[in-house]
Amino acid sequence: MTTPTRREVDPITLEVIRNAVPSISDEMSAALQRASYNMMIYEVRDYCCALVMPNGDLISQNVGGVSHFVADLGVIIVDAIKRHGLDGFDPGDVLITNHQAVAGQHLNNVVVYVPVFVAGELECFSMTRAHWIDVGGLSTGFGSGAPGNDPWIEGLQLNQLKLHRAGVPDESLLQVLRDNIRFPESSLGDLRAQIAACRLGADRVEELYLKYGSEVVVAGIDQIFDESEARCRAVVGEIPDGVYEASSFMDRSAGPPIDLHARVTVEGTDMTIDLSGCSQQRIDPVNARTLAGSMVAYKCLTTPDDPVNAGSFRALTTIIPEGNIMMARFPAPMANWSLVLPTVIDTILRALAPTVSDRIPAAHLGTLGGIVVFVGKEPDTDRPFVLMSIEGGGWGGRPHEDGESASVSVCQGDVRNASIESIELRYPVVVERRQLRPDSGGAGLHRGGLGVEVEVRNLVPGRWALMQSGRNGCPPWGLWGGGDGMPADNLLVLPGAAPERVDNARQEVPSFARATIMTAGGGGWGSPFERAPARVLQDVIEGAVSVEAAERDYGVVIDPLGPAVDEPATAAARRADRPSLNDA
Amino acid sequence: MTGGVSLAVDIGGTFTDLIAYDHARGELRHAKSLTTPQDLVEGILDCLELSGSALDRTDALVHGSTIAINTVLERTGAATGLVVTHGTRDTYAIGRGNRPDAYRLFFKRPKPLVPQQRTFEVPERMLASGEVELELDEEAVVRIAGELRDAEVDAVAVCLLHAYANPAHEQRVGEILRRELPGRYVSLSHEVLREYREYERTSTTVVNAYIGPVVGRYLEGLQTRLEGQSFAGTLWLMQSNGGVASVAGAAHKPVAMLESGPVGGIIGAAHVASGLGFRDVVAFDMGGTTAKASLIRDGVPSVADGYHVGGYSEGQPVRSPVVDIVEVGTGGGSIAWLDEVGGLKVGPRSAGAEPGPIAYGRGGTQPTITDANVVLGRIRADGFLGGRMALDEAGALTGITEQVAVPLGLDPIQAAHGIIEIAIAKMALAVREVSVARGHDPRDFVLLASGGAGPLHAVAIARALSLPKVIVPRFPGHFSAAGMLVTDQQHDLVRTILAAAGENGARVLEAYRSLVADASSRLGAGAADARFEASVDMRYRGQDFSLAVPTNEEELGEPALISVRKRFDEVHLRRYGHQAPDEDAELVNVRLRVVVQRDKPSMRLQAPNGRRDPTPRRVAVHLDASGDAAEVALHLREQLAAGDRIEGPALIQESASTTVLSEGDSCEVARGGELVITLLEARDR
């Protein structure tokens, strides 16, 4: 690689490269998704595809699936070069890694990548990271763990291994994989899809580099980074200089709450997000090594619709000291590595709400969705199965409108729930209902969106994953006088027993138990007493708000016959003391 | 068909296009008039008069219309109610929970076409096996009918869980609702789409019900008006799947005619190219605001199982076969602009037809792709729309100079060339998406270019992707209507079965035969001439996305379905670059396509008349970014005769379009008048 002088690429070629580069990662993404074997990839889209320079700079990454996979593959390449050397790769190599000392996520997230050579020169790496349904240990499903775990209990650790050397597969390594994971058919199918996607990316890169010449493409990419940076700076430049702070927390059944604190400093066009005030790493598996919290928040604030590249984050400084829950030292357990991220992101946004009030919604569900996981065995074949679905929740009220209901978190983009019919076609369960949760949205001038509740009856014995969200003590907050959203919850009804709340990642159950998974609503924005009574009436008619909540939270008295707004009673109620609610 | 006339009418937002084929005389004529939104038939009658065609001699009129899609996009459909299984009232509102615009805090979810308060749950439950878990509460259905009546709905959609497996409850609900709510449009999900996934099936059924009354009234009105004008032939409606349906068929399933407008051109492309001996084609259409690409393989357009009306992020999902089109926001009217950091962009904003490009002189002030073509001399001011519309060349030059060239430090020719190069790169990505990205080698394909702006850029796009040949059909600017003339009657049926591939031959065959029986009863006597095409959707056990594998009744009769299974491995290998022949595979859906052929004009025998000027005029054109213009020959298309050869560089100009050949490209005029261009790079092969 050469270091090109600035601005040597003509604007036309530059625009062509700008269009071509993201289309490569998008094409890789489509290929991986459609050929994958587990719903974490084809529905949840818990994967990413990227092109990364040998220095770790991100050239391009697909957008759409899991948004907290953002510019996070560079560290793996920096580490790979350190180990193998710049000349330690051959065409036809395929590498695999999930090792937490560098990758910093749960072991289910397996990174597969290939070096890309153009005319004999190493130009970049074509990479995919995808959530395997199982990597041994306790990893089945979403990778749930218990306090006191370590990475060896969590699953199989793969540390920057060459799966293929110059095109020749390492059969011993493949055998190790096959023998140490519970669903080898699924995961090795995903592996095949990942390798094919990486090779596709490599082919496209080669075409592009050969067509325009490596120097031109590299110079163009460099220029695109500069422009991405400039766009972000332009947005941050409009935010008044200052230091902005906010705090929140997540409660845990084991141990003290996880404290979260964001300190955002804006100085000219530079932004620093300091997460030093967040808890230290824990013995329970909620640790990670990730900058995703600050990066997702920054991306949402600055250039949400632009492709992601290394320039997207150059004007952002993130401070997370070693030993912090998001910069945990190996071998901290990481099975639930992304648990804190949605709340961290909301906390960063909340810090900025007073200064850019027209851009910040109230808090959203704040978790990675309602996680529906049931593990059992098919009655006829005794084959093990894992049912998984991710249910969305409520998003916060916005400065100009209500929050959306039943949508996945800020860390998830094009992530879909599993349809009732496909669940029942595949697995011995019956989905009794999937509904919006009335009254779950925080009251407000602009109401928070509603959470979801799903009830599933298992027809065979098995194991439910029913963890509490950790957001009961600090539910999704309202802004500017808006009320909090209703927190997530879950209930289990064993045959012949009363419903009980559960907080257990591995709840064994007999046949015919019923589990209900409920997601949180979003916080409200602005005082609910300023919401037009006609809107509240409409909420009541649609079932989003109950008659009781209309009166209690909005001061709107509804005559259920009609239904209609009882105007005099409403006027009286709204004259009375307003409930004390959140300030921003 | 003897002595009669076949008509095709494409009613677009601005223009109504008509193509008439006189079977007796072997003549093909075209007319265009302004669309008359108040009374669309007026526009058709205007066109008839212009083209000198008579309705009383017309045997068949094929109609493509945007009424269905506009009703959805403008949300002007019927007040619709929805009846669902107990526990699933919110399924339609919840959707899949996804947010495709991942970093947008103020993202929007699809807005349901039926409000919550008109959605009713009925106690009943089917299981995935088709067994009844809870019997239907018929009294509850009667009560719901009363509430729907009180809510003054004009249409009702019914979508019960697992109705694709066992429609008994849905059928019964339908009977009760039709009895209790006479005159209302009732749409049952298993009649619209017999496929699993309740949200997508609900959405499709709701769209069908929502547009049903509007489309029904429109079709009835059209039929009546045409008959009032002595039309005694058959009215056919263009469908999204590329076939046509009768008025009754279209009224029953209007959701199948959402993409009625654009697909005609793709069917035409397959037909024209096949006539010239090319079976693998990329159909490329570039109009005023967008460019579209579609793949035709072995003479058959590729069809997707569904799409989102109004875009993936916020649109309504519709599962109904639709000719697979990749669209990019690059049309003749696309605006070239500089973003806040000085990057040159082309589109997706468009100047449209009003105010249009600067060169149109109708108030447009922003430079467009058309303006760039004018500046480069590829669109000639003196020949535009056959000389009927003057072009403001100076204005186009000033716009590009001031708004693009000066800020970027380029000369105007470089800037204009750059705009076109960027547009071509974007369009090439669309062509690539339908071809290379789906595992096809572009060198095996030809590009068939239509749309007013298509022939201007087709050769450059083909060159960028190594397609060896370009075909420019006759009437490239009105090709969607022309394509409608060559369509067949076509129905697509589907049934979800979900079975392991190894052992379920009998079940699959039974499902296939029931589809054939359904189709035959629908076609009545016409079934005798029908062609039945079977395919199955397959995947490896554990996968979710399936691939369509073409097959036939004989193969479906194999107990272990070995032939189908083998073909699936091959299809998977071609599409994704890997396969797993040792793994279990599943059959997800059985599909049946029924085709009843219609008489078609032999378009390729239409030889143009006119004498070619032996010494064509030479004009100055910029074919590359260098500052110098080249003197190239300007040929007039109407003067070309079959067998003529033209060597590039050259322009071939016609009323609504211009074809650009570069140095070394060679064009031959085919028997039907099509231009068949062989690119320089392919000439030695």
Side-chain angles (χ1 to χ4, degrees), chain B residues 255-302:
Chain B
V255 71
M257 61 176 284
L258 285 169
E259 292 301 308
S260 186
V263 302
I266 296 152
I267 306 306
H271 184 80
V272 168
S274 283
L276 294 167
F278 301 107
R279 306 281 293 166
D280 293 331
V281 185
V282 174
F284 170 73
D285 174 285
M286 182 178 175
T289 53
T290 64
K292 305 185 182 88
S294 302
L295 186 80
I296 296 160
R297 231 184 104 69
D298 199 22
V300 181
S302 71

Side-chain angles (χ1 to χ4, degrees), chain B residues 210-536:
Chain B
Y210 183 75
I211 63 179
V214 177
V215 172
R217 278 193 298 273
Y218 171 74
L219 294 177
E220 205 174 294
L222 182 64
Q223 180 104 355
T224 309
R225 286 292 308 274
L226 290 171
E227 281 164 8
Q229 300 284 330
S230 323
F231 172 67
T234 312
L235 177 59
W236 296 103
L237 280 305
M238 196 64 216
Q239 307 280 294
S240 314
N241 66 5
V244 295
S246 65
V247 172
H252 176 66
K253 208 164 146 182
V255 71
M257 61 176 284
L258 285 169
E259 292 301 308
S260 186
V263 302
I266 296 152
I267 306 306
H271 184 80
V272 168
S274 283
L276 294 167
F278 301 107
R279 306 281 293 166
D280 293 331
V281 185
V282 174
F284 170 73
D285 174 285
M286 182 178 175
T289 53
T290 64
K292 305 185 182 88
S294 302
L295 186 80
I296 296 160
R297 231 184 104 69
D298 199 22
V300 181
S302 71
V303 172
D305 300 330
Y307 76 124
H308 289 69
V309 183
Y312 181 66
S313 298
E314 298 171 23
Q316 314 286 334
V318 163
R319 298 276 299 174
S320 173
V322 54
V323 170
D324 199 0
I325 297 172
V326 171
E327 193 164 8
V328 287
T330 314
S334 294
I335 292 167
W337 53 290
L338 303 181
D339 69 5
E340 69 274 18
V341 291
L344 175 59
K345 306 276 168 188
V346 180
R349 284 183 304 147
S350 170
E354 294 291 338
I358 299 173
Y360 286 9
R362 286 194 224 151
T365 55
Q366 294 173 289
T368 63
I369 293 174
T370 295
D371 293 309
N373 276 302
V374 170
V375 166
L376 296 175
R378 301 172 193 216
I379 294 179
R380 311 299 304 177
D382 49 4
F384 193 68
L385 286 182
R388 278 173 292 145
M389 184 168 157
L391 290 181
D392 180 4
E393 286 174 290
L397 181 62
T398 308
I400 284 178
T401 305
E402 290 176 356
Q403 294 177 51
V404 180
V406 171
L408 289 178
L410 302 173
D411 74 47
I413 298 302
Q414 284 173 325
H417 196 267
I419 291 167
I420 290 181
E421 199 177 313
I422 289 167
I424 284 169
K426 287 174 81 165
M427 294 186 288
L429 287 177
V431 172
R432 199 179 76 180
E433 199 176 325
V434 299
S435 56
V436 187
R438 292 180 195 176
H440 301 295
D441 186 338
R443 288 167 298 190
D444 300 336
F445 285 75
V446 299
L447 191 75
L448 188 136
S450 63
L456 275 166
H457 306 101
V459 171
I461 291 167
R463 179 162 283 124
L465 291 169
S466 306
L467 277 76
K469 282 179 193 288
V470 171
I471 300 168
V472 181
R474 291 187 65 208
F475 304 112
H478 323 288
F479 197 59
S480 200
M484 290 179 194
L485 283 181
V486 297
T487 50
D488 291 319
Q489 197 184 341
Q490 187 175 308
H491 302 283
D492 290 292
L493 290 85
V494 60
R495 187 148 306 171
T496 294
I497 43 169
L498 198 64
E503 57 221 36
N504 282 291
R507 233 184 102 195
V508 176
L509 187 63
E510 184 195 320
Y512 173 74
R513 287 191 170 142
S514 77
L515 288 177
V516 172
D518 272 12
S520 302
S521 72
R522 204 178 292 183
L523 288 170
D529 303 323
R531 189 172 79 235
F532 295 92
E533 296 170 2
S535 65
V536 287

Side-chain angles (χ1 to χ4, degrees), chain B residues 46-95:
Chain B
D46 285 351
C47 276
L48 282 168
E49 201 180 318
L50 279 170
S51 70
S53 312
L55 264 182
D56 55 4
R57 284 186 55 226
T58 301
D59 302 312
L61 191 157
V62 187
H63 177 34
S65 162
T66 50
I67 181 146
I69 190 137
N70 286 347
T71 302
V72 180
L73 294 176
E74 294 162 12
R75 302 181 77 90
T76 51
T80 304
L82 174 62
V83 178
V84 299
T85 300
H86 182 73
T88 62
R89 191 187 83 139
D90 298 327
T91 298
Y92 180 48
I94 292 171

Side-chain angles (χ1 to χ4, degrees), chain B residues 506-590:
Chain B
R507 233 184 102 195
V508 176
L509 187 63
E510 184 195 320
Y512 173 74
R513 287 191 170 142
S514 77
L515 288 177
V516 172
D518 272 12
S520 302
S521 72
R522 204 178 292 183
L523 288 170
D529 303 323
R531 189 172 79 235
F532 295 92
E533 296 170 2
S535 65
V536 287
D537 295 345
M538 292 186 73
R539 64 190 179 198
Y540 293 118
R541 194 173 184 285
Q543 288 184 323
D544 185 65
F545 286 86
S546 52
L547 286 170
V549 181
T551 181
N552 55 49
E553 183 164 2
E554 190 185 330
E555 288 182 349
L556 292 175
E558 295 173 12
L561 299 164
I562 289 167
S563 309
V564 179
R565 168 58 208 262
K566 247 185 99 181
R567 191 164 315 116
F568 165 65
D569 290 330
E570 291 161 15
V571 172
H572 198 279
L573 178 65
R574 193 176 67 221
R575 180 67 182 79
Y576 297 121
H578 53 111
Q579 60 175 346
D582 300 330
E583 279 181 25
D584 292 345
E586 290 174 335
L587 281 102
V588 186
N589 299 310
V590 183

